[in-house]
Coordinates of all heavy atoms in Angstrom, one line a residue:
Chain B
V184 N 127.6 169.5 82.9 CA 126.3 168.9 83.2 C 125.6 169.8 84.2 O 124.3 170.0 84.1 CB 126.5 167.5 83.7 CG1 125.2 166.9 84.1 CG2 127.2 166.6 82.7
Q185 N 126.3 170.3 85.1 CA 125.7 171.3 86.1 C 125.0 172.4 85.4 O 123.9 172.8 85.7 CB 126.8 171.9 87.0 CG 127.1 171.1 88.2 CD 127.9 171.9 89.2 OE1 127.9 173.1 89.2 NE2 128.7 171.2 90.0
A186 N 125.7 173.0 84.4 CA 125.2 174.1 83.7 C 123.9 173.8 82.9 O 122.9 174.5 83.0 CB 126.2 174.7 82.7
Q187 N 123.9 172.6 82.3 CA 122.7 172.1 81.6 C 121.6 171.9 82.5 O 120.4 172.3 82.3 CB 123.1 170.8 80.9 CG 122.1 170.3 80.0 CD 122.3 168.8 79.7 OE1 123.2 168.2 80.2 NE2 121.5 168.3 78.8
L188 N 121.8 171.3 83.7 CA 120.8 171.0 84.7 C 120.2 172.3 85.2 O 119.0 172.5 85.4 CB 121.3 170.2 85.8 CG 120.3 169.7 86.8 CD1 119.4 168.6 86.2 CD2 120.9 169.2 88.1
L189 N 121.1 173.3 85.5 CA 120.6 174.6 86.0 C 119.7 175.3 85.0 O 118.7 175.9 85.3 CB 121.8 175.5 86.3 CG 122.5 175.1 87.6 CD1 123.8 175.9 87.8 CD2 121.6 175.3 88.8
D190 N 120.1 175.2 83.7 CA 119.4 175.8 82.7 C 118.0 175.2 82.6 O 116.9 175.9 82.6 CB 120.1 175.4 81.3 CG 120.2 176.6 80.5 OD1 120.3 177.8 81.0 OD2 120.2 176.5 79.2
L191 N 117.9 173.9 82.7 CA 116.7 173.1 82.7 C 115.8 173.5 83.9 O 114.6 173.8 83.7 CB 116.9 171.6 82.7 CG 115.7 170.7 82.8 CD1 115.1 170.6 81.4 CD2 116.1 169.4 83.3
L192 N 116.4 173.6 85.1 CA 115.7 173.9 86.3 C 115.1 175.3 86.2 O 113.9 175.5 86.5 CB 116.6 173.8 87.5 CG 116.8 172.5 88.1 CD1 117.8 172.5 89.3 CD2 115.5 172.0 88.7
R193 N 115.9 176.2 85.7 CA 115.5 177.6 85.6 C 114.3 177.7 84.7 O 113.3 178.4 85.0 CB 116.6 178.5 85.1 CG 116.3 180.0 85.4 CD 117.6 180.8 85.4 NE 118.3 180.6 84.1 CZ 119.2 181.5 83.6 NH1 119.5 182.5 84.3 NH2 119.8 181.3 82.5
G194 N 114.3 177.0 83.6 CA 113.2 177.0 82.7 C 112.0 176.4 83.3 O 110.9 177.0 83.2
L195 N 112.1 175.3 84.0 CA 110.9 174.6 84.6 C 110.3 175.4 85.7 O 109.1 175.5 85.8 CB 111.4 173.2 85.1 CG 111.6 172.1 84.1 CD1 112.2 170.9 84.8 CD2 110.4 171.8 83.3
V196 N 111.2 176.0 86.5 CA 110.7 176.8 87.6 C 109.8 178.0 87.1 O 108.8 178.3 87.6 CB 111.9 177.4 88.4 CG1 111.5 178.5 89.3 CG2 112.5 176.2 89.3
R197 N 110.3 178.7 86.0 CA 109.6 179.8 85.4 C 108.3 179.3 84.8 O 107.2 179.9 84.9 CB 110.4 180.6 84.4 CG 111.7 181.2 85.0 CD 111.4 182.4 85.8 NE 112.6 182.9 86.4 CZ 113.0 182.6 87.7 NH1 112.3 181.9 88.5 NH2 114.1 183.1 88.2
E198 N 108.4 178.3 84.0 CA 107.3 177.8 83.2 C 106.2 177.3 84.1 O 105.0 177.5 83.9 CB 107.8 176.6 82.3 CG 106.9 176.1 81.3 CD 107.5 174.9 80.6 OE1 108.7 174.9 80.4 OE2 106.7 174.0 80.2
L199 N 106.5 176.5 85.2 CA 105.5 175.9 86.0 C 105.2 176.7 87.2 O 104.4 176.3 88.0 CB 106.0 174.5 86.5 CG 106.4 173.5 85.3 CD1 107.0 172.3 85.9 CD2 105.2 173.2 84.5
Q200 N 105.8 177.9 87.4 CA 105.5 178.8 88.5 C 105.7 178.0 89.8 O 104.9 178.1 90.7 CB 104.1 179.3 88.4 CG 104.0 180.5 87.5 CD 104.8 181.7 88.1 OE1 104.6 182.2 89.2 NE2 105.8 182.1 87.3
L201 N 106.9 177.3 89.9 CA 107.2 176.5 91.1 C 107.8 177.4 92.2 O 108.6 178.3 91.9 CB 108.2 175.4 90.8 CG 107.8 174.2 90.0 CD1 109.0 173.4 89.6 CD2 106.8 173.4 90.7
A202 N 107.4 177.1 93.4 CA 108.2 177.7 94.5 C 109.2 176.6 94.9 O 108.9 175.4 94.9 CB 107.3 177.9 95.7
V203 N 110.5 177.1 95.1 CA 111.6 176.2 95.3 C 112.3 176.6 96.5 O 112.6 177.8 96.7 CB 112.5 176.1 94.1 CG1 113.7 175.2 94.4 CG2 111.7 175.7 92.9
I204 N 112.7 175.7 97.4 CA 113.7 176.0 98.4 C 114.9 175.1 98.1 O 114.8 173.9 98.0 CB 113.2 175.7 99.8 CG1 111.9 176.5 100.1 CG2 114.2 175.9 100.9 CD1 111.4 176.3 101.5
I205 N 116.0 175.8 97.8 CA 117.2 175.0 97.3 C 118.3 175.3 98.2 O 118.7 176.4 98.6 CB 117.5 175.4 95.8 CG1 118.7 174.6 95.3 CG2 117.7 176.9 95.7 CD1 118.8 174.8 93.8
V206 N 118.9 174.2 98.7 CA 120.1 174.2 99.5 C 121.3 174.1 98.6 O 121.4 173.2 97.8 CB 120.1 173.1 100.6 CG1 121.5 172.8 101.1 CG2 119.2 173.5 101.7
T207 N 122.3 174.9 98.8 CA 123.5 174.8 98.0 C 124.7 175.5 98.7 O 124.5 176.4 99.5 CB 123.3 175.4 96.6 OG1 124.5 175.3 95.8 CG2 122.9 176.9 96.7
H208 N 125.9 175.1 98.4 CA 127.0 175.8 98.9 C 127.7 176.5 97.7 O 128.7 177.1 97.8 CB 128.0 175.0 99.7 CG 128.5 173.8 98.9 ND1 128.3 172.5 99.3 CD2 129.1 173.7 97.7 CE1 128.8 171.7 98.4 NE2 129.3 172.4 97.4
D209 N 127.1 176.4 96.5 CA 127.6 176.9 95.3 C 126.9 178.3 95.0 O 125.8 178.3 94.6 CB 127.4 175.9 94.2 CG 128.1 176.4 92.9 OD1 128.5 177.6 92.8 OD2 128.3 175.5 92.0
L210 N 127.7 179.4 95.2 CA 127.0 180.7 95.0 C 126.6 180.9 93.6 O 125.7 181.7 93.3 CB 128.0 181.8 95.5 CG 128.2 181.8 97.0 CD1 129.0 183.0 97.4 CD2 126.9 181.9 97.8
A211 N 127.3 180.3 92.6 CA 126.9 180.4 91.2 C 125.5 179.9 91.0 O 124.7 180.5 90.3 CB 127.9 179.7 90.3
V212 N 125.2 178.7 91.6 CA 123.9 178.1 91.5 C 122.9 179.1 92.1 O 121.8 179.3 91.6 CB 123.9 176.7 92.3 CG1 122.5 176.2 92.3 CG2 124.8 175.8 91.5
A213 N 123.2 179.6 93.3 CA 122.3 180.5 94.0 C 122.0 181.7 93.1 O 120.9 182.1 93.0 CB 122.9 180.9 95.3
R214 N 123.0 182.3 92.5 CA 122.8 183.5 91.7 C 121.9 183.2 90.5 O 121.1 184.0 90.1 CB 124.2 184.1 91.3 CG 124.0 185.5 90.7 CD 125.2 186.0 90.1 NE 126.2 186.6 91.0 CZ 126.1 187.8 91.4 NH1 125.1 188.6 91.2 NH2 127.1 188.3 92.2
L215 N 122.1 182.0 89.9 CA 121.4 181.7 88.7 C 119.9 181.4 89.0 O 119.0 181.8 88.3 CB 122.0 180.4 88.1 CG 122.9 180.6 86.9 CD1 123.5 179.3 86.5 CD2 122.2 181.3 85.8
L216 N 119.7 180.7 90.1 CA 118.3 180.2 90.4 C 117.5 181.0 91.4 O 116.3 181.3 91.2 CB 118.3 178.8 90.9 CG 118.5 177.7 89.9 CD1 118.5 176.3 90.6 CD2 117.4 177.7 88.9
A217 N 118.2 181.5 92.4 CA 117.4 182.0 93.6 C 117.0 183.5 93.4 O 117.8 184.3 92.9 CB 118.2 181.8 94.9
D218 N 115.8 183.7 93.9 CA 115.3 185.1 94.0 C 115.8 185.7 95.3 O 116.1 186.9 95.3 CB 113.8 185.2 93.9 CG 113.2 184.5 92.7 OD1 113.8 184.8 91.6 OD2 112.3 183.8 92.8
R219 N 115.7 184.9 96.3 CA 116.1 185.4 97.6 C 117.1 184.4 98.2 O 117.1 183.2 97.9 CB 114.9 185.5 98.5 CG 114.3 186.8 98.5 CD 113.4 187.0 99.7 NE 112.4 186.0 99.9 CZ 112.0 185.6 101.1 NH1 112.4 186.2 102.2 NH2 111.1 184.6 101.2
L220 N 117.9 184.9 99.1 CA 118.9 184.0 99.8 C 118.8 184.1 101.3 O 118.5 185.2 101.8 CB 120.4 184.4 99.4 CG 121.0 183.9 98.1 CD1 122.4 184.3 98.0 CD2 120.8 182.4 97.9
M221 N 119.2 183.0 101.9 CA 119.4 183.0 103.4 C 120.8 182.5 103.6 O 121.1 181.4 103.1 CB 118.4 182.1 104.1 CG 117.0 182.6 104.1 SD 115.9 182.0 105.4 CE 116.2 180.3 105.2
V222 N 121.6 183.2 104.3 CA 122.9 182.7 104.6 C 122.9 182.1 106.0 O 122.5 182.8 107.0 CB 124.0 183.9 104.5 CG1 125.4 183.3 104.8 CG2 123.9 184.6 103.2
M223 N 123.4 180.9 106.1 CA 123.4 180.2 107.4 C 124.8 180.0 108.0 O 125.7 179.8 107.2 CB 122.7 178.9 107.4 CG 121.2 179.0 107.3 SD 120.3 177.4 107.5 CE 120.4 177.2 109.2
R224 N 124.9 180.2 109.3 CA 126.2 179.8 109.9 C 125.9 179.4 111.3 O 125.2 180.1 112.0 CB 127.1 181.1 109.9 CG 128.5 180.7 110.4 CD 129.4 181.9 110.1 NE 130.8 181.4 110.4 CZ 131.6 181.9 111.3 NH1 131.1 183.0 112.0 NH2 132.7 181.4 111.5
R225 N 126.5 178.3 111.7 CA 126.4 177.8 113.1 C 124.9 177.8 113.5 O 124.6 178.4 114.5 CB 127.2 178.6 114.0 CG 128.7 178.4 113.8 CD 129.5 179.0 115.0 NE 130.9 179.0 114.6 CZ 131.7 179.8 115.2 NH1 131.3 180.7 116.1 NH2 133.0 179.8 114.9
S226 N 124.1 177.2 112.7 CA 122.7 176.9 113.0 C 121.8 178.1 112.9 O 120.6 178.0 113.0 CB 122.5 176.2 114.4 OG 122.6 177.2 115.4
R227 N 122.4 179.3 112.7 CA 121.5 180.5 112.6 C 121.5 181.1 111.2 O 122.5 181.0 110.5 CB 122.0 181.5 113.6 CG 121.6 181.2 115.0 CD 121.8 182.4 115.9 NE 121.4 182.1 117.3 CZ 122.1 181.4 118.2 NH1 123.3 181.0 117.9 NH2 121.6 181.2 119.4
V228 N 120.4 181.8 110.9 CA 120.4 182.6 109.6 C 121.0 183.9 110.0 O 120.5 184.7 110.8 CB 118.9 182.8 109.1 CG1 118.9 183.7 107.9 CG2 118.3 181.4 108.8
V229 N 122.2 184.2 109.3 CA 122.9 185.4 109.7 C 122.5 186.5 108.8 O 122.6 187.7 109.1 CB 124.4 185.2 109.7 CG1 124.8 184.2 110.8 CG2 124.9 184.7 108.3
E230 N 122.0 186.2 107.6 CA 121.6 187.3 106.7 C 120.6 186.7 105.7 O 120.7 185.6 105.2 CB 122.8 187.9 105.9 CG 122.5 189.2 105.2 CD 123.8 189.8 104.7 OE1 124.9 189.4 105.0 OE2 123.6 190.8 103.9
A231 N 119.6 187.5 105.4 CA 118.6 187.1 104.4 C 118.2 188.3 103.6 O 118.2 189.5 104.1 CB 117.4 186.6 105.1
G232 N 117.9 188.1 102.3 CA 117.5 189.2 101.4 C 117.5 188.8 100.0 O 117.7 187.6 99.7
L233 N 117.4 189.7 99.1 CA 117.4 189.4 97.7 C 118.8 188.9 97.3 O 119.8 189.4 97.8 CB 117.1 190.7 96.9 CG 115.7 191.3 97.1 CD1 115.5 192.6 96.3 CD2 114.7 190.2 96.7
T234 N 118.8 188.0 96.3 CA 120.1 187.4 96.0 C 121.1 188.4 95.5 O 122.3 188.3 96.0 CB 119.8 186.4 94.8 OG1 118.8 185.4 95.3 CG2 121.1 185.6 94.5
D235 N 120.8 189.3 94.6 CA 121.7 190.2 94.1 C 122.3 191.1 95.2 O 123.5 191.4 95.3 CB 121.1 191.1 93.0 CG 120.8 190.3 91.8 OD1 121.4 189.2 91.7 OD2 120.0 190.7 91.0
Q236 N 121.3 191.5 96.1 CA 121.7 192.3 97.2 C 122.8 191.7 98.1 O 123.8 192.3 98.5 CB 120.5 192.6 98.0 CG 120.6 193.7 99.1 CD 119.3 193.8 99.8 OE1 118.2 193.5 99.3 NE2 119.4 194.2 101.1
I237 N 122.5 190.4 98.4 CA 123.4 189.7 99.3 C 124.8 189.4 98.6 O 125.8 189.6 99.2 CB 122.8 188.4 99.8 CG1 121.7 188.8 100.8 CG2 123.8 187.5 100.4 CD1 121.1 187.6 101.6
L238 N 124.7 189.0 97.4 CA 125.9 188.7 96.7 C 126.8 189.9 96.3 O 128.0 189.9 96.3 CB 125.6 187.8 95.4 CG 125.1 186.5 95.7 CD1 124.9 185.7 94.4 CD2 125.9 185.7 96.7
D239 N 126.1 191.0 96.0 CA 126.8 192.2 95.6 C 127.2 193.1 96.8 O 128.2 193.9 96.7 CB 126.0 193.0 94.6 CG 125.8 192.2 93.3 OD1 126.6 191.3 93.1 OD2 124.9 192.5 92.6
D240 N 126.4 193.1 97.8 CA 126.6 194.0 99.0 C 126.4 193.2 100.3 O 125.4 193.5 101.0 CB 125.7 195.2 98.8 CG 126.0 196.2 100.0 OD1 127.1 196.1 100.6 OD2 125.1 197.0 100.2
P241 N 127.2 192.2 100.6 CA 127.0 191.4 101.8 C 127.2 192.3 103.0 O 128.2 193.1 103.1 CB 128.0 190.3 101.7 CG 129.0 190.7 100.7 CD 128.4 191.7 99.8
Q242 N 126.4 192.2 104.0 CA 126.5 193.0 105.2 C 127.2 192.2 106.4 O 128.0 192.8 107.1 CB 125.1 193.4 105.7 CG 124.3 194.2 104.7 CD 125.1 195.6 104.4 OE1 125.4 196.3 105.4 NE2 125.3 195.9 103.2

Side-chain angles (χ1 to χ4, degrees):
Chain B
V184 177
Q185 271 192 27
Q187 188 196 5
L188 187 72
L189 285 174
D190 228 31
L191 176 79
L192 274 177
R193 197 160 57 160
L195 287 173
V196 163
R197 298 283 175 266
E198 187 184 327
L199 305 172
Q200 279 295 298
L201 287 173
V203 178
I204 298 182
I205 183 169
V206 159
T207 180
H208 55 240
D209 186 341
L210 290 184
V212 172
R214 194 190 274 282
L215 263 175
L216 279 181
D218 304 315
R219 267 199 308 150
L220 276 189
M221 292 202 308
V222 183
M223 286 190 77
R224 186 170 191 238
R225 292 193 189 154
S226 79
R227 286 193 173 83
V228 176
V229 293
E230 193 170 351
L233 296 176
T234 302
D235 291 345
Q236 190 186 332
I237 287 188
L238 293 183
D239 297 340
D240 182 22
Q242 299 296 310

